[in-house]
Amino acid sequence: MRTEHDSLGDLQIPDDEYFGIQTARALDNFSISDLQISPYFIRAYAELKKACTMANVELGAFKNEAAANAIIKACDEVAELEHEKQFILDVFQAGAGTSTNMNLNEVIANRALEILGKPRGDYATISPNDHVNMSQSTNDTYPTAMRLAAILMLHEQLHPALAALGSAFTQKGEEFADFVKSGRTHLQDAVPITLGQEFTAWAHILFRHFLRLLNAEEDLNRLGIGGSAAGSGLNTPKGYTKLVVATLVSNLGIKLYESENLFEAMQSLAPFVHLMSALKNLSLDLLKISADLRLLASGPMTGLAEIQLPAVQPGSSIMPGKVNPSMLEMLSQVALQVVGSEATVAMASQAGQLELNVMMPIVQFNICFSLEILSNAMGSVSEKCIVGITADRERMLHYAETSGSLVTALAPEIGYLKAAEVAKESLRTKRPIREIVLEQKLVQAEKLENILDVFEMTGA
């Protein structure tokens, strides 16, 4: 054990731990859940600490080169998640994320001390507050790290998963390009379309969401680092913000800018609401698409059964041979969770007072959690469901050719009201549209065949 001291007194810390006294106090105070911060947030925060240290050295604020180099090396290790087990604080913690910031500061300081051959806890040599946290406050670093983590997760997780799902739909759209089926509106028979058009529409829906997410990212990449405690930049050297942002751009390879107003960047969580709104919007369409696919696959004997989903597990503990749309059910549940997370972020956004929004930890958790589960869910559904879908061409064609909606194509020829009469007669007698039209001599046979060509009706 080693003894560490803070403004509240002394505390014994296990000597094999990199975290220190403030982390230990937070562990004792906030035993609320088993939920912990995202590895992406640890990585982002460590990259930010590194950039801040590099800026302090270049601007002459940090004069101990050996200590600075040790801190930078420790930051690299933390960013590579070599010390991930040292970050065990509950996501439900003190406001603004001070506990998490100090967790980073202490782990980095003690690892840097070890690199220098010094004992852990020798804060006279490298201090978590005076050195690792130099020119910083939780109030500007935490929201900056939130932005960085979200952008990294978008680039490395969500965008690839969204692209894979969109690509799977596009490929199926091409495969089913000439599979004619009955369209449905209001859950009632409608004019013919192709199954390929249905899948291609879903692909384009996802592409539009990709554009919306890019727009949200543009709102995230303006950083308020350098605002310090309240936005005024107290205790930061001149030129610090510009240099930190430039260093982050160089180190991370992502597009970032200085915020036009550091006070605004620390008070408003609007960029995170923007992102969560985009994720919620995507989730709502994923719910719709999942429901559509489940409906098209319903049956296999008493439903539509136009498509077949790959079987991934037995569907019932009591009904032998039953197969359920398990992957789509999972995706729907994930999407519902994201919708709920958006509500949490929205409420947290309005809960800040004056110069700071202290609800950032719960916002950070919900954003990273939503990005993670959406990415994983879309990737799994692409791989284990969409790419393996097959279709029953004959069944779909039968539905299309026996649908009363075919009279829509006859309306320009025989008029809307007469076409409606034919549709009602077909529904009442269960006889085909063609048979009734020919019987009543409404259209000549050759012309009728051209009019009622179901593939031509699709516009494909």
Side-chain angles (χ1 to χ4, degrees):
M1 304 292 285
R2 66 180 186 268
T3 301
E4 290 196 13
H5 177 81
D6 64 8
S7 59
L8 298 183
D10 295 338
L11 203 62
Q12 292 288 298
I13 306 296
D15 209 30
D16 59 349
E17 302 287 3
Y18 286 116
F19 65 72
I21 186 170
Q22 294 201 47
T23 304
R25 293 196 190 281
L27 282 171
D28 183 57
N29 288 333
F30 309 116
S31 181
I32 310 302
S33 72
D34 291 326
L35 302 174
Q36 296 174 6
I37 61 175
S38 165
Y40 269 93
F41 190 61
I42 297 171
R43 172 185 165 193
Y45 223 144
E47 290 286 359
L48 177 60
K49 294 285 178 184
K50 175 183 176 180
C52 291
T53 300
M54 293 171 69
N56 282 321
V57 169
E58 186 167 336
L59 296 172
F62 200 149
K63 297 180 170 56
N64 187 331
E65 186 175 343
N69 288 336
I71 289 172
I72 290 170
K73 187 176 189 308
C75 287
D76 285 336
E77 293 179 2
V78 171
E80 292 295 323
L81 302 179
E82 293 183 24
H83 310 294
E84 186 177 359
K85 292 182 179 179
Q86 295 294 310
F87 302 98
I88 53 178
L89 295 183
D90 203 296
V91 298
F92 298 100
Q93 56 179 262
T98 300
S99 301
T100 294
N101 183 33
M102 287 309 303
N103 191 182
L104 266 289
N105 291 334
E106 290 173 342
V107 170
I108 292 168
N110 282 309
R111 176 59 187 136
L113 286 167
E114 195 172 60
I115 291 169
L116 291 179
K118 302 288 186 180
R120 300 177 193 183
D122 181 11
Y123 295 152
T125 301
I126 295 181
S127 162
N129 292 85
D130 297 332
H131 300 116
V132 182
N133 201 59
M134 181 182 290
S135 306
Q136 302 160 52
S137 165
T138 299
N139 301 353
D140 66 342
T141 57
Y142 198 96
T144 299
M146 286 170 62
R147 286 166 165 81
L148 298 177
I151 293 171
L152 289 171
M153 292 187 78
L154 282 169
H155 286 201
E156 298 177 13
Q157 287 198 316
L158 193 79
H159 289 340
L162 187 58
L165 185 56
S167 177
F169 281 129
T170 298
Q171 290 171 16
K172 286 296 170 181
E174 294 170 355
E175 180 182 340
F176 302 140
D178 61 348
F179 283 45
V180 179
K181 66 186 295 290
S182 178
R184 296 179 181 91
T185 59
H186 302 264
L187 288 180
Q188 304 296 305
D189 296 347
V191 296
I193 62 171
T194 69
L195 185 61
Q197 289 168 329
E198 210 152 30
F199 274 80
T200 302
W202 294 329
H204 196 71
I205 285 171
L206 297 184
F207 174 68
R208 296 294 302 173
H209 282 293
F210 172 71
L211 297 181
R212 294 182 186 102
L213 286 162
L214 289 181
N215 185 258
E217 183 182 330
E218 289 292 324
D219 212 9
L220 287 169
N221 60 20
R222 284 164 172 76
L223 307 183
I225 188 66
S228 187
S232 64
L234 181 67
N235 293 343
T236 62
K238 186 176 181 180
Y240 171 79
T241 296
K242 182 183 289 296
L243 192 51
V244 172
V245 173
T247 303
L248 287 169
V249 170
S250 176
N251 290 349
L252 297 178
I254 56 180
K255 188 166 58 174
L256 302 166
Y257 306 97
E258 300 173 60
S259 173
E260 295 86 348
N261 187 298
L262 299 183
F263 291 91
E264 177 271 337
M266 290 167 54
Q267 291 181 33
S268 174
L269 298 186
F272 303 106
V273 175
H274 190 176
L275 173 60
M276 277 305 306
S277 295
L279 294 177
K280 174 186 175 181
N281 204 348
L282 168 61
S283 297
L284 293 174
D285 265 336
L286 289 174
L287 282 164
K288 178 257 192 294
I289 293 169
S290 295
D292 286 348
L293 287 165
R294 289 161 61 199
L295 187 59
L296 293 178
S298 60
M301 301 303 294
T302 60
L304 296 181
E306 293 185 342
I307 64 173
Q308 296 80 42
L309 307 176
V312 296
Q313 65 180 43
S316 173
S317 62
I318 189 172
M319 291 175 280
K322 190 171 188 288
V323 177
N324 296 335
S326 303
M327 299 307 297
L328 297 171
E329 291 167 346
M330 173 276 295
L331 179 61
S332 296
Q333 292 174 78
V334 167
L336 290 171
Q337 177 62 52
V338 174
V339 171
S341 293
E342 188 274 339
T344 299
V345 171
M347 292 302 295
S349 175
Q350 59 80 43
Q353 299 86 31
L354 302 175
E355 276 63 60
L356 183 68
N357 190 315
V358 301
M359 303 301 171
M360 290 186 290
I362 195 61
V363 172
Q364 175 272 318
F365 168 74
N366 277 282
I367 285 176
C368 289
F369 184 59
S370 296
L371 286 165
E372 179 183 7
I373 62 176
L374 263 182
S375 301
N376 292 341
M378 288 191 295
S380 294
V381 167
S382 299
E383 177 186 350
K384 297 183 178 182
C385 181
I386 307 304
V387 298
I389 289 176
T390 57
D392 189 331
R393 183 195 290 265
E394 289 73 23
R395 188 181 185 97
M396 287 187 291
L397 185 60
H398 170 72
Y399 284 153
E401 290 186 331
T402 57
S403 170
S405 65
L406 294 184
V407 297
T408 305
L410 283 168
E413 187 72 22
I414 65 176
Y416 181 92
L417 291 178
K418 190 62 180 177
E421 290 177 9
V422 171
K424 290 178 182 179
E425 178 70 9
S426 173
L427 186 61
R428 185 181 65 82
T429 63
K430 303 289 191 291
R431 294 164 63 202
I433 296 291
R434 282 182 175 83
E435 183 178 316
I436 296 170
V437 172
L438 290 174
E439 180 184 273
Q440 296 183 10
K441 299 180 179 180
L442 299 174
V443 180
Q444 291 182 349
E446 185 178 344
K447 188 173 187 180
L448 181 63
E449 286 303 311
N450 291 330
I451 293 174
L452 295 185
D453 184 326
V454 289
F455 186 75
E456 284 297 317
M457 289 186 203
T458 68

